[in-house]
Amino acid sequence: MAESNFVDYVKIYCRSGKGGRGSVHMHRAKYTPNGGPDGGDGGRGGHVILRGNRNYWTLLHLRYDRHAFATHGENGSKNKSFGKDGEDKIIEVPCGTVAYNAETGEYLCDITEHGQEVILLKGGRGGLGNWHFRTATRQAPRFAQPGEPMQELTVILELKMLADVGLVGFPNAGKSTLLSSVSAARPKIANYPFTTLEPNLGIVSHREGTSFVMADIPGIIEGASEGKGLGLRFLRHIERNSLLLFMVPGDTDDIRKEYDILLNELARFNPEMLDKQRVLAITKSDMLDEELMEMLEPGLPENVPHIFISSITGMGIQQLKDILWTELNKESNKLGGASTETIVHRAKDVLKLQQELKDMGEDEEFEFEYEDDDDDFDYEYEEEDWDEEDEE
């Protein structure tokens, strides 16, 4: 089986650059016999920066590029020449990427907008040259500052897809069929559980040229919040959705019970999901007659808009899009959802994180060789010489 191109979880090793050391140099020229110290400063080490890029939609490009190294700053030199700053290492990530410390599980940052930049690791500052340390009583300082050391960190990058509407339902609830009927997305559709193995995005056209983004994730089963099925891995993709569309087949024995199970799994995974707007769609309703629909009405959840639909026949599809558009544009739930700044990212439990890394195949240890650290060096004190014959 070919490996999926959808990668939403990677572990990478990052290392910033160390600062260049300051120079110790004494200047003495023909007409300036008492020139004094003129050692320049070392350059700053390069930063490691995360940058949002809307042209990426997965972390596939980082799967085989697991080391992010910024370059070191150059050393200062004579004539107050400052060393060149190290080159920053920029890691392009799709919008919706969250970074965690792979060792402690600590939340580091969240990239939500195109062009947004966050310095993940700062490069070391360059050391000051000896000309900074001259005073009236110390006119020939023969020392300078070393550059600050580099920083290193192993991080986990986790993608949480950005969409307006997230589809929530058990396997074979008709989520992929709905997405394919209202957008140009073409997810795999088959009559067996867990046909959908990775999230899919589609742009749904509405009236008068308006549109919104819909996300389909693999089916949720009871116990998904505890790691059963595929739900635990993909539940995070609907954390950012503005509205959740619950989908329950019309031939289900107890629609309300199935809805409550789905709601409970979301609450156990992240209680904040209960604050999102919800709509209930009873799918495969082409098998139901009007009398049966009326019988089912009293048992449906209260205070949740609902509609009977059929993605095959088109029954209720336009009305569903109208309901979704109305809910998205309510004052309490503007299109695009609550500000991403209000999303609370909890630190990961270290034990669960280790199991999560194992499940994702990201638990291998990085091995790398350190270059020799040349900060412990003997300074050479240079003086500009000139040919004495030139004096004549």
Side-chain angles (χ1 to χ4, degrees):
M1 179 177 177
E3 187 176 8
S4 171
N5 285 334
F6 182 83
V7 178
D8 60 351
Y9 199 97
V10 296
K11 183 174 77 169
I12 62 176
Y13 169 72
C14 302
R15 191 178 72 192
S16 64
K18 61 184 178 182
R21 63 176 181 262
S23 171
V24 173
H25 187 269
M26 298 298 173
H27 176 72
R28 183 170 64 85
K30 180 176 180 180
Y31 298 108
T32 55
N34 298 318
D38 70 341
D41 302 347
R44 170 186 63 81
H47 301 318
V48 176
I49 300 174
L50 288 183
R51 177 192 290 167
N53 189 332
R54 61 181 169 221
N55 296 318
Y56 289 109
W57 72 287
T58 81
L59 299 170
L60 177 65
H61 61 292
L62 298 176
R63 165 158 281 185
Y64 304 107
D65 187 12
R66 300 301 187 87
H67 298 83
F69 293 166
T71 60
H72 302 316
E74 293 184 359
N75 300 329
S77 59
K78 61 186 179 181
N79 296 328
K80 299 181 184 178
S81 296
F82 292 2
K84 181 180 178 182
D85 289 344
E87 184 177 350
D88 296 335
K89 175 62 177 179
I90 298 177
I91 306 174
E92 303 273 0
V93 295
C95 299
T97 301
V98 183
Y100 295 93
N101 186 319
E103 303 296 331
T104 65
E106 176 190 1
Y107 162 75
L108 300 176
C109 65
D110 186 6
I111 304 296
T112 58
E113 299 178 0
H114 177 70
Q116 177 186 354
E117 291 188 353
V118 175
I119 297 178
L120 201 59
L121 291 177
K122 288 187 176 182
R125 291 181 299 180
L128 299 178
N130 67 337
W131 76 281
H132 284 281
F133 303 104
R134 68 196 189 284
T135 66
T137 58
R138 186 176 58 205
Q139 298 182 4
R142 296 183 179 273
F143 59 89
Q145 286 182 336
E148 287 186 344
M150 58 192 176
Q151 299 182 38
E152 54 185 347
L153 180 68
T154 302
V155 299
I156 292 171
L157 298 180
E158 184 180 82
L159 175 62
K160 298 181 180 182
M161 293 170 61
L162 300 173
D164 301 307
V165 178
L167 304 183
V168 181
F170 282 88
N172 285 102
K175 302 186 298 300
S176 297
T177 305
L178 173 64
L179 185 64
S180 66
S181 66
V182 299
S183 72
R186 291 295 175 264
K188 182 179 180 181
I189 301 172
N191 188 28
Y192 57 84
F194 296 114
T195 307
T196 301
L197 297 177
E198 60 189 40
N200 294 285
L201 284 178
I203 299 177
V204 180
S205 299
H206 191 244
R207 304 176 190 273
E208 301 177 355
T210 57
S211 63
F212 54 88
V213 180
M214 181 177 287
D216 170 29
I217 68 169
I220 299 172
I221 63 173
E222 189 169 7
S225 59
E226 299 174 356
K228 295 182 180 179
L230 299 176
L232 180 64
R233 176 179 175 183
F234 296 110
L235 278 174
R236 64 175 178 270
H237 288 295
I238 57 176
E239 282 188 297
R240 295 187 189 275
N241 298 162
S242 308
L243 183 149
L244 301 180
L245 176 58
F246 287 76
M247 302 183 65
V248 181
D251 57 355
T252 301
D253 294 336
D254 191 334
I255 295 178
R256 178 58 182 269
K257 180 180 179 181
E258 189 160 311
Y259 169 83
D260 289 340
I261 292 174
L262 293 170
L263 196 62
N264 181 59
E265 290 302 320
L266 296 186
R268 295 178 66 180
F269 177 74
N270 185 352
E272 294 176 7
M273 287 192 179
L274 298 182
D275 297 331
K276 295 181 180 292
Q277 299 286 105
R278 300 191 292 271
V279 174
L280 174 61
I282 295 87
T283 64
K284 306 178 183 180
S285 295
D286 53 316
M287 299 183 296
L288 309 177
D289 54 29
E290 292 187 6
E291 182 178 355
L292 187 53
M293 291 182 193
E294 293 178 359
M295 293 177 59
L296 293 174
E297 286 277 355
L300 298 179
E302 302 84 7
N303 303 321
V304 177
H306 63 269
I307 186 172
F308 292 87
I309 66 170
S310 171
S311 302
I312 301 298
T313 64
M315 169 186 170
I317 296 299
Q318 185 57 50
Q319 291 86 342
L320 173 63
K321 291 196 285 186
D322 290 340
I323 291 175
L324 295 176
W325 183 257
T326 300
E327 293 295 321
L328 285 170
N329 284 276
K330 282 186 174 180
E331 287 297 324
S332 59
N333 186 41
K334 289 292 186 181
L335 182 62
S339 170
T340 53
E341 295 180 358
T342 64
I343 297 178
V344 177
H345 296 283
R346 295 162 295 180
K348 291 179 175 291
D349 180 87
V350 176
L351 295 179
K352 290 184 178 179
L353 176 59
Q354 292 174 350
Q355 183 60 42
E356 194 172 318
L357 290 170
K358 183 177 180 181
D359 294 340
M360 300 293 181
E362 300 288 334
D363 57 337
E364 76 276 9
E365 296 294 332
F366 291 112
E367 295 183 359
F368 23 79
E369 295 182 358
Y370 288 97
E371 56 197 55
D372 293 335
D373 191 347
D374 60 351
D375 279 343
D376 296 330
F377 59 94
D378 293 328
Y379 287 111
E380 294 183 359
Y381 308 110
E382 303 175 8
E383 294 183 346
E384 295 290 345
D385 294 326
W386 68 89
D387 191 346
E388 296 184 358
E389 295 180 356
D390 293 338
E391 295 183 357
E392 299 179 357

